Amino acid sequence: MSSSDMRYPRPTLLADYVRAGVGAVLCGLPLVLIDVNRWIAAILLAGFVLFAAFIVRTALRQHTRYVLGPDTLCADGPAGSLVEWNRLDRMKLSYFSTKRDRSDGWMQLAVGSAGARTVKVDSALEGFYDIVERAARAAESTGVELSAATRANLRSMGISVAGQEETV
């Protein structure tokens, strides 16, 4: 297996910047332009801080490339980390629904190996399936215990892990 470079697509990043920017402006402008009572100001300030954090998170994603290799997953960027597949000690695959009927949403994978920070990627990342599949193989070979939710999410992606079948 050769290495693959992966990044979040520009349209996804642009949409995140627009959402965060609009939110920051809508929360920040009233604080600067009008006199609001302190409780409203506290709520607007909290919203502004939240949207500012979202801008920082989006910038980190923009400046990080993920390199999937046969032995490692490298998050090469300002908050980078390296996961060694043969030392994998944690894996969690989560699904976040945007609709009540769970028909739409996104997935997030969190993986880590001994002594390294956890690397989190979501399904907007180009090559997400390849990373999840490689992480599942590593979890299988290192014996990482997977939660029922992670196993169900793997199955929904068409990935099965020996020894991790659902118990009824």
Side-chain angles (χ1 to χ4, degrees), residues 35-164:
D35 188 27
V36 294
N37 86 29
R38 64 182 176 152
W39 297 110
I40 300 297
I43 292 168
L44 289 172
L45 182 60
F48 178 80
V49 169
L50 183 68
F51 285 110
F54 189 44
I55 291 170
V56 170
R57 176 185 157 265
T58 303
L60 287 173
R61 285 176 143 199
Q62 179 181 1
H63 293 96
T64 301
R65 76 183 170 110
Y66 298 88
V67 181
L68 175 62
D71 301 322
T72 59
L73 172 63
C74 176
D76 183 21
S81 189
L82 180 74
V83 175
E84 298 176 70
W85 295 126
N86 64 351
R87 298 179 65 197
L88 187 79
D89 61 6
R90 57 197 176 276
M91 176 182 168
K92 181 178 180 183
L93 182 61
S94 304
Y95 177 71
F96 299 95
S97 179
T98 57
K99 293 186 179 176
R100 222 178 249 270
D101 65 1
R102 299 183 59 82
S103 64
D104 195 23
W106 76 94
M107 292 192 138
Q108 180 184 65
L109 175 70
V111 291
S113 58
R117 288 191 0 218
T118 299
V119 173
K120 292 182 181 180
V121 294
D122 68 45
S123 51
L125 180 69
E126 295 171 343
F128 178 76
Y129 180 88
D130 297 333
I131 295 174
V132 173
E133 187 174 47
R134 183 62 187 98
R137 298 287 76 80
E140 184 176 43
S141 67
T142 60
V144 170
E145 184 67 31
L146 301 178
S147 70
T150 293
R151 290 191 310 268
N153 290 329
L154 285 168
R155 277 193 302 279
S156 76
M157 293 181 71
I159 300 171
S160 62
V161 181
Q164 300 291 338

Side-chain angles (χ1 to χ4, degrees), residues 23-37 40-41 44 48:
V25 167
L26 289 176
C27 290
L29 272 182
L31 290 171
V32 175
L33 298 179
I34 59 176
D35 188 27
V36 294
N37 86 29
I40 300 297
L44 289 172
F48 178 80

